């Protein structure tokens, strides 16, 4: 089987190329730089374009151009760079341009650190730029998923004509694991796009734009976007559940945190503690129904994050105070240890 | 005569995209230069027969709605970003003719970086830079090209050098770069100057059509509304005042010697991609690994030393070999908090079960390649674990009595083999022999697939054998 041992940052590039992505535009930043390194090596060989852009803003706008022209296009960065890209992401959302943006989160605010954090949740899941829009957000927790969800990102982007983020942390980008790569997507499997502008007579009546000066026109457009987001919330929620069937306490986390939770659950189960895990694989759409369903049958939730509690807000909105939602976090680049998580669970269980 | 009066076919007959009742006139004010420049561009595109191939980029500014008028492909973009978007468009479809149409605030202020770098890369774009020394659409504020003393909404007392600096000369700046093929400053004043502008527009487009070259045409243009003048006064101000600060003429022209650019992408079939991406079959010999596969392997290995001792590659080789024995494996480099303390280290997990967290906090095996690493991680090792250390570099033995300790003079042994850098492979050989969870034959055979520098494979194989032999002798 075509199995390879490599970094998450490399797997996402190879997956993208297998998904038919032909354009990579990016700017160097730690801990996402290996994505640009691999893209620089492989995109030109694979019939694509790689340009190291002059800025993060230029990079996302080059993606805007490539996507307008009908290509599957991507860029990647980390927190400070994503902040800069937000203008372009908003334009992509407004013009309904499919594109994939990989965010390998690091510590913030400001220059912060290059160590892993999950503090871009709000700026990525809640839109981030100006305007009433949403990104689809996928949260891989392994090198294999960097490939698989990277590929899915392109399909979802095209399906909904929407920006899709692959949001993960420095650990998942930097770590190496075995990956099985799928067969490349056949060109004819990539959906035909009649709306693009590519310098042909067939596309010469097309326009890509996000401006609608008439209030009624813009409201119609924005309402259309909201309808699209509702369909996405209906159809695209993805989660991983681990021992939630009989769980009294459900731990919620994504990215590297979910890997730690997974190991802690194994320990807790051996000790007879009925603990389970819910891992949102899609952060937008957020697994509201699943959490609501769990609210009916579990005693506690514990949300674990490497941020100041950006996702726990969304959990609490669904739980609506019906069950206690506890929170544990580490920040600054620190990763919660298994022992810390274990102790936190035991403390909650003793309180009950 | 007929030809002159006819509206170019490159314009829509009726501007259906324009909201409101009036679908026949443009949104431009009387005396504004945009209409004239649009006309010159449209006629050139028609005459050159490239209407269908053309993509017109509408910027932010009064020409934000250029797509109401041009019957070409149209892309409307963020303020200042047209050259970046143009890069994406052109690279995607090198046969398209891409026009970046920008004003002075758009190009010289907020989009300064994008234009300089697109010009410097020599993108196959034609840039029309409309310089009217003011922000028109937002209500007449100062532009980077606003003249000294010129009154605008944000320079109510006139632009002062002390506060706002000097008007920026974009054409001269662009012309200092090597890649641009043709840079000229023209104006929209009397008929003669318009006819000259017409020539420049056509030449610039030709350079893209024929050779994919980058051209930059700065067009001095009136904004009577923004300047609070009549159209006649505006034309006069362009001709008499603006040209003093912004001299007309060709600033750079290498079109005769420019050989052309090829932006075409390689044609690759999907079936070729696995090979291009270096995705290879991993050989797993079930028969050969059978005697070594153990059901309950759960090694958590911390490998630490100085940078340059091959600590990270020691980890990747162990992991990759584990993968070749069908174990679950993960490798995490010293990254973030792990980097504190000045040692390079990595965490490796080799397990017969699915790996949760890749973080190794309490290793079952510590490989210490220098003293600080032993000092730092010794206490973390689990009771009953294993400490392997380079006894030729570390001048103390571990103090733990509840773990197995294997001192290996790896650096000394590596020196004896002629290369200090293979101390890490001596450790690999020793550890594999000691643990007995992997086949030495498979490790030696697949080393060539794992190591990047193929020339060094025989030497590394030797080191692995030497490490194994060392363990055999002490047992």
């Amino acid at each position: 089987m075509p199995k390879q041992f490599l970094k998450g940052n490399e797997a996402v590039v190879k997956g993208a190329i297998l998904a038919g992505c032909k354009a990579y535009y990016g700017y160097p930043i730690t801990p996402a730089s290996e994505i640009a390194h691999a893209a620089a090596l492989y995109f030109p060989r694979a019939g694509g374009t790689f340009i190291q852009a002059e800025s993060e803003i230029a990079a996302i706008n080059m993606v805007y151009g490539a996507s307008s022209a009908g290509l599957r296009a991507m860029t990647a960065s980390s927190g400070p760079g994503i902040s800069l890209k937000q203008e372009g992401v908003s334009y992509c959302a407004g013009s309904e341009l499919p594109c994939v943006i990989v965010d390998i989160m690091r510590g913030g605010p400001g220059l912060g650190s290059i160590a892993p954090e999950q503090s871009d949740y709000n700026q990525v899941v809640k839109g981030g730029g100006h305007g009433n829009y949403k990104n689809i957000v996928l949260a891989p927790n392994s090198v294999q998923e960097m490939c698989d969800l990277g590929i899915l990102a392109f399909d979802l982007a095209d399906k909904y004509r929407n920006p899709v983020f692959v949001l993960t942390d420095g650990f998942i980008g930097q770590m190496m694991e075995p990956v099985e790569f799928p067969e490349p997507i056949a060109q004819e499997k990539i959906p035909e796009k009649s709306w693009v502008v590519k310098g042909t007579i067939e596309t010469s009546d097309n326009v890509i734009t996000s401006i609608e000066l008439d209030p009624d026109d813009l409201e119609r457009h924005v309402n259309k976007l909201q309808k699209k987001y509702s369909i996405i919330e209906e159809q695209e929620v993805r989660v991983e559940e681990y021992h939630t069937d009989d769980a009294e306490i459900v731990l919620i986390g994504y990215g590297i945190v979910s890997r730690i939770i997974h190991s802690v659950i194994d320990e807790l189960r051996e000790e007879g503690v009925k603990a389970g895990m819910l891992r949102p694989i899609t952060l937008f759409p957020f697994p509201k129904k699943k959490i609501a369903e769990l609210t009916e049958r579990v005693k506690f939730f514990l949300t674990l994050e490497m941020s100041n509690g950006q996702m726990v807000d969304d959990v609490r909105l669904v739980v609506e105070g019906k069950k206690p939602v506890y929170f544990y976090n580490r920040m600054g680049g620190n990763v919660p240890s298994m022992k810390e998580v274990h102790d936190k669970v035991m403390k909650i269980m003793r309180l009950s | 005569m007929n030809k002159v009066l006819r509206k170019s076919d490159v314009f829509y007959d009726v501007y259906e995209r324009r909201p409101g009742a009036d679908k026949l006139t443009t949104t431009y004010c009387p005396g504004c230069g945009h209409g004239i420049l649009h006309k010159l561009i449209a006629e050139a595109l028609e005459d050159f027969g490239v209407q269908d191939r053309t993509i017109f980029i509408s910027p932010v500014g009064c020409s934000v709605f250029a797509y109401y008028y041009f019957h070409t492909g149209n892309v409307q973009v963020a303020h200042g970003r047209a050259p970046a978007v143009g890069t994406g468009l052109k690279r995607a479809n090198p046969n398209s003719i891409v026009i970046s149409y920008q004003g002075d605030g758009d190009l010289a202020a907020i989009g300064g970086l994008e234009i300089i770098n697109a010009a410097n890369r020599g993108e196959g774009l034609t840039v029309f830079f409309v310089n009217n020394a003011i922000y028109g659409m937002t209500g007449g504020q100062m532009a980077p090209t606003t003249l000294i003393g010129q009154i605008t909404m944000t320079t109510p007392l006139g632009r002062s050098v002390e506060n706002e600096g000097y008007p920026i000369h974009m054409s001269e700046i662009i012309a200092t770069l090597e890649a641009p093929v043709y840079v000229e400053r023209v104006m929209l004043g009397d008929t003669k100057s318009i006819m000259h502008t017409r020539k420049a527009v056509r030449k610039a487009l030709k350079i893209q059509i024929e050779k994919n070259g980058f051209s930059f045409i700065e067009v001095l243009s009136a904004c009577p509304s923004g300047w609070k003048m009549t159209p006649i006064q505006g034309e006069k101000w362009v001709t008499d005042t603006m040209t003093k600060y912004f001299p007309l003429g060709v600033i750079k022209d290498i079109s005769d010697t420019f050989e052309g650019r090829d932006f075409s992408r390689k044609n690759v079939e999907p079936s070729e991609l696995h090979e291009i991406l270096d995705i290879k079959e991993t050989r797993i010999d079930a028969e050969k690994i059978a005697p070594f596969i153990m059901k309950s392997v759960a090694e958590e290995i911390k490998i630490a030393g100085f940078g340059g001792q091959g600590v990270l590659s020691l980890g990747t080789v162990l992991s990759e070999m584990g993968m070749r024995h069908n174990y679950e494996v993960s490798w995490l480099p010293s990254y973030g908090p792990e980097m504190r303390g000045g040692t390079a280290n990595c965490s490796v997990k080799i397990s017969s079960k699915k790996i949760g967290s890749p973080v190794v906090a309490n290793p079952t095996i510590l490989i210490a390649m220098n003293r600080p690493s032993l000092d730092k991680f010794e206490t973390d090792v689990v009771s009953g674990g294993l400490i392997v250390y380079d006894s030729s570099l570390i001048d103390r033995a571990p103090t733990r009595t509840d773990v197995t300790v294997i001192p290996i003079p790896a650096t000394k042994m590596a020196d004896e083999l002629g290369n200090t850098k293979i101390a890490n492979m001596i450790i690999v050989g020793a550890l594999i022999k000691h643990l007995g969870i992997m086949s030495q034959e498979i490790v030696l055979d697949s080393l060539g697939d794992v190591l990047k520098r193929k020339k060094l494979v025989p030497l590394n194989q030797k080191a692995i054998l030497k490490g194994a032999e060392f363990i055999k002798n002490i047992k």
Side-chain angles (χ1 to χ4, degrees):
Chain A
M1 88 196 81
K3 203 180 203 183
Q4 256 199 316
F5 186 69
L6 77 173
K7 284 192 171 193
N9 281 347
E10 294 162 333
V12 76
V13 170
K14 294 190 179 189
I17 290 173
L18 294 175
C21 179
K22 295 281 189 210
Y24 183 99
Y25 300 108
Y27 189 84
I29 185 168
T30 309
S33 289
E34 293 86 356
I35 300 179
H37 303 170
L41 184 65
Y42 290 119
F43 267 77
R45 285 187 200 169
T49 301
F50 169 88
I51 294 179
Q52 179 174 326
E54 58 270 27
S55 71
E56 298 281 5
I57 296 172
I60 186 70
N61 278 283
M62 289 173 187
V63 167
Y64 185 99
S67 178
S68 297
L71 294 191
R72 287 194 158 182
M74 73 180 290
T75 182
S77 191
S78 184
I82 299 297
S83 301
L84 285 164
K85 283 189 202 293
Q86 294 290 12
E87 174 202 78
V89 178
S90 167
Y91 277 74
C92 287
S95 300
E96 294 193 88
L97 289 173
C99 59
V100 173
I101 304 134
V102 183
D103 179 2
I104 308 295
M105 288 183 281
R106 58 185 258 178
L111 216 40
S113 79
I114 59 166
E117 254 193 11
Q118 297 180 324
S119 48
D120 290 356
Y121 182 94
N122 279 347
Q123 76 152 335
V124 169
V125 177
K126 305 295 178 181
H130 61 285
N132 299 302
Y133 77 95
K134 282 186 177 292
N135 306 304
I136 297 172
V137 185
L138 308 176
N141 80 345
S142 66
V143 179
Q144 183 68 55
E145 281 193 355
M146 286 292 273
C147 167
D148 297 347
L149 294 182
I151 292 171
L152 176 67
F154 285 98
D155 292 340
L156 292 177
D158 279 347
K159 185 173 174 188
Y160 294 102
R161 283 188 64 179
N162 207 69
V164 179
F165 271 82
V166 175
L167 180 71
T168 195
D169 49 81
F171 264 8
I172 303 299
Q174 293 294 322
M175 69 184 285
M176 292 174 95
E177 283 181 317
V179 186
E180 283 176 42
F181 286 100
E183 288 301 312
I185 185 170
Q187 200 57 42
E188 57 271 19
K189 288 266 174 68
I190 299 176
E192 270 299 314
K193 300 169 186 174
S194 59
W195 50 266
V196 302
V197 173
K198 52 182 188 183
T200 59
I201 189 161
E202 298 77 22
T203 64
S204 68
D205 263 322
N206 290 346
V207 57
I208 306 292
T209 184
S210 60
I211 187 170
E212 295 284 0
L213 281 191
D214 182 90
D216 290 338
D217 287 345
L218 184 58
E219 188 174 52
R220 214 176 345 254
H221 174 60
V222 175
N223 273 331
K224 186 184 127 198
L225 294 182
Q226 307 315 308
K227 203 173 160 196
K228 176 165 86 177
Y229 305 144
S230 305
I231 295 170
I232 292 168
E233 289 202 84
E234 260 328 294
Q235 300 189 349
E236 303 299 345
V237 173
R238 286 166 173 82
V239 295
E240 179 194 344
E241 286 181 88
Y242 190 54
H243 289 306
T244 50
D245 288 352
D246 62 341
E248 291 179 358
I249 180 165
V250 165
L251 284 66
I252 303 178
Y254 68 99
I256 186 67
V257 173
S258 67
R259 297 281 295 258
I260 294 156
I261 293 175
H262 197 282
S263 294
V264 174
I265 302 280
D266 285 344
E267 280 184 1
L268 290 166
R269 285 274 161 179
E270 275 180 33
E271 295 159 22
V273 178
K274 287 188 175 168
M277 173 179 78
L278 178 72
R279 166 168 83 100
I281 294 173
T282 51
L283 295 171
F284 178 79
F286 195 66
K288 292 180 187 169
K289 275 186 193 159
K290 177 49 74 182
I291 292 172
E293 181 196 315
L294 288 170
T295 304
E296 300 304 317
R297 54 188 165 92
V298 307
K299 288 186 182 161
F300 318 98
F301 290 99
L302 170 59
T303 301
L304 294 138
E305 289 180 71
M306 282 150 59
S307 79
N308 61 343
Q310 301 188 13
M311 183 178 70
V312 72
D313 288 348
D314 286 335
V315 176
R316 287 180 173 141
L317 277 172
V318 180
V319 176
E320 289 182 316
K322 289 175 192 160
K323 296 285 162 67
V325 178
Y326 294 94
F327 175 64
Y328 186 77
N329 71 333
R330 292 298 305 268
M331 292 187 282
N334 287 310
V335 181
S337 70
M338 284 172 60
K339 185 176 180 305
E340 287 165 27
V341 178
H342 187 278
D343 290 353
K344 180 75 184 174
V345 172
M346 295 315 285
K347 203 174 150 194
I348 295 166
M349 298 303 277
R350 271 199 301 275
L351 282 175
S352 67
Chain B
M1 199 65 191
N2 192 23
K3 189 169 191 264
V4 176
L5 292 175
R6 184 177 64 85
K7 185 160 82 170
S8 168
D9 286 344
V10 172
F11 290 125
Y12 284 107
D13 281 341
V14 178
Y15 305 137
E16 296 290 355
R17 287 180 180 138
R18 187 178 174 182
D22 181 1
K23 310 250 183 226
L24 293 175
T25 64
T26 70
T27 43
Y28 301 123
C29 308
C32 167
H34 282 309
I36 302 169
L37 185 57
H38 282 17
K39 178 172 181 274
L40 297 178
I41 294 169
E43 286 175 356
L45 295 174
E46 182 177 350
D47 291 349
F48 298 153
V50 294
Q51 176 180 6
D52 299 337
R53 285 164 61 194
T54 300
I55 302 174
F56 195 99
I57 305 179
S58 306
V60 168
C62 290
S63 47
V64 65
F65 295 121
Y67 64 83
Y68 288 173
Y69 318 119
F70 281 92
H71 186 178
T72 58
N74 281 285
V75 179
Q76 199 290 314
V77 301
H79 203 22
R81 317 300 176 215
V85 175
T87 298
L89 287 163
K90 183 77 181 186
R91 298 291 186 116
N93 294 301
N95 192 43
S96 55
I97 305 301
V98 181
I99 296 172
S100 181
Y101 189 102
Q102 304 179 260
D104 39 39
D106 188 270
L107 181 139
I110 200 165
L113 190 65
E114 283 81 0
I115 188 61
I116 295 281
N117 284 277
N120 195 44
R121 285 191 304 269
E123 296 295 340
L125 309 173
T126 307
V127 179
F128 295 110
F129 169 42
V130 180
N131 177 359
N132 57 17
I134 203 158
Y135 281 64
M137 194 189 215
T138 45
Q141 299 85 359
M142 187 194 78
T145 50
T146 292
L147 304 187
I148 304 299
Q150 186 182 338
I151 289 171
T152 72
M153 295 305 283
T154 49
T155 53
L157 304 177
R159 178 176 186 160
S160 79
V161 169
E162 289 73 22
N163 203 48
E164 286 93 18
Y166 294 90
I168 196 164
H169 291 79
M170 283 310 294
S171 290
E172 283 78 359
I173 290 172
I174 297 295
T176 62
L177 304 170
E178 283 176 55
V181 176
Y182 169 48
V183 182
E184 181 166 1
R185 185 181 289 116
V186 294
M187 73 167 180
L188 298 172
D190 60 4
T191 311
K192 202 175 150 208
S193 71
I194 293 172
M195 289 316 284
H196 184 79
T197 299
R198 178 178 181 268
K199 259 194 202 160
V201 165
R202 297 169 88 87
K203 177 169 177 168
L205 284 168
K206 265 265 148 90
I207 288 168
Q208 181 177 177
I209 294 165
E210 288 170 2
K211 295 181 177 179
N212 270 326
F214 178 94
S215 295
F216 185 95
I217 306 298
E218 177 174 344
V219 183
L220 304 184
S221 173
C223 178
S225 302
W227 296 347
K228 301 183 177 24
M229 291 182 191
T230 65
I232 303 289
Q233 288 169 327
E235 184 192 313
K236 196 170 154 42
W237 200 73
V238 170
T239 312
D240 297 345
T241 310
M242 279 190 82
T243 52
K244 280 190 201 134
Y245 287 87
F246 299 109
L248 303 180
V250 175
I251 299 159
K252 184 184 181 193
D253 183 1
I254 54 165
S255 56
D256 282 349
T257 53
F258 176 65
E259 287 179 351
R261 279 283 291 272
D262 180 7
F263 291 102
S264 59
R265 290 177 285 114
K266 226 172 123 186
N267 196 14
V268 172
E269 291 300 318
S271 56
E272 300 170 70
L273 286 178
H274 270 212
E275 199 187 329
I276 287 169
L277 296 175
D278 300 318
I279 297 169
K280 293 183 202 114
E281 257 348 82
T282 301
R283 287 176 291 132
I284 293 178
D285 190 331
E287 226 167 88
K288 273 190 190 162
I289 65 174
F292 296 92
I293 295 296
M294 295 179 195
K295 285 212 164 52
S296 60
V297 170
E299 298 298 354
E300 306 203 353
I301 311 170
K302 179 70 86 181
I303 306 155
F306 292 125
Q309 280 187 303
V311 162
L312 300 184
S313 59
L314 200 167
T316 56
V317 168
L318 275 180
S319 321
E320 286 221 40
M321 294 307 173
M323 181 178 89
R324 283 172 162 72
H325 288 78
N326 261 340
Y327 291 116
E328 301 286 336
V329 294
S330 69
W331 174 94
L332 189 66
S334 48
Y335 164 68
E338 297 291 309
M339 281 168 75
R340 288 178 207 144
T343 61
N345 75 72
C346 63
S347 301
V348 169
K349 289 200 174 183
I350 301 176
S351 176
S352 37
K353 279 197 278 186
K354 190 185 165 189
I355 293 168
S357 165
V359 181
V360 172
N362 297 108
T364 59
I365 301 171
L366 169 64
I367 298 171
M369 301 287 281
N370 66 4
R371 170 87 191 252
S373 300
L374 183 65
D375 292 349
K376 186 177 172 191
F377 294 113
E378 182 183 346
T379 51
D380 296 339
V381 178
V382 297
S383 187
L386 169 68
I387 296 178
V388 177
Y389 70 102
D390 187 339
S391 55
S392 47
L393 294 182
I394 300 173
D395 55 3
R396 75 163 178 91
T399 53
R400 293 276 296 268
T401 52
D402 59 338
V403 296
T404 306
V405 174
I406 304 179
I408 305 176
T411 299
K412 191 163 156 271
M413 289 162 68
D415 284 340
E416 284 164 13
L417 284 176
N419 191 335
T420 309
K421 289 194 164 170
I422 54 170
N424 59 350
M425 289 301 135
I426 289 175
I427 303 272
V428 168
L431 192 67
I432 284 170
K433 184 80 188 167
H434 176 77
L435 296 175
I437 60 170
M438 293 187 210
S439 148
Q440 184 176 289
E441 190 193 341
I442 289 175
V443 170
L444 291 172
D445 283 354
S446 49
L447 204 58
D449 298 336
V450 170
L451 294 179
K452 282 207 177 88
R453 296 175 67 187
K454 306 297 171 206
K455 247 172 52 185
L456 295 177
V457 171
L459 186 64
N460 281 280
Q461 285 169 329
K462 238 191 235 178
I464 287 173
L465 283 169
K466 188 102 175 168
E469 193 187 294
F470 179 85
I471 292 292
K472 212 171 129 191
N473 290 340
I474 60 169
K475 276 201 172 171

